[in-house]
Amino acid sequence: MKYTVVIEKTHNGYSAYVPDLPGCVAAADTQAEARELIGEAIHMHVDSLRQHGDPISEPQASVTTVSV
């Protein structure tokens, strides 16, 4: 599965989250590190859902850009 990940610049680094997996987040000093950590967080999050017998959300979020 491929999940949409949002990475945002913060005052002291970067944060990342997955809209389709509430609570799946990561924070890092660099954008590359945030990308790596959120990938690990997704795996751990999905594994935890499986272990507890909870449903795993199918990817539904999408990304687009709008010119203004």
Side-chain angles (χ1 to χ4, degrees), residues 15-38:
S15 66
Y17 67 94
V18 183
D20 291 320
L21 298 173
C24 187
V25 299
D29 292 329
T30 67
Q31 190 173 14
E33 184 182 15
R35 208 172 14 255
E36 180 180 333
L37 292 177
I38 197 65

Side-chain angles (χ1 to χ4, degrees), residues 3 6 9-11 17-18 20 26 31 48 52 58-60 62 66 68:
Y3 286 100
V6 177
K9 178 94 170 100
T10 65
H11 292 293
Y17 67 94
V18 183
D20 291 320
Q31 190 173 14
S48 177
H52 291 94
E58 291 290 322
Q60 295 182 29
S62 63
V66 176
V68 293

Side-chain angles (χ1 to χ4, degrees), residues 2 5-6 8 10 14-15 17-18 22 26-27 30 37 39-40 44 46 49 51 53 60 64:
K2 289 185 178 183
V5 172
V6 177
E8 298 176 325
T10 65
Y14 292 85
S15 66
Y17 67 94
V18 183
T30 67
L37 292 177
E40 294 172 9
M44 291 189 317
V46 170
L49 291 171
Q51 288 175 4
Q60 295 182 29
T64 189

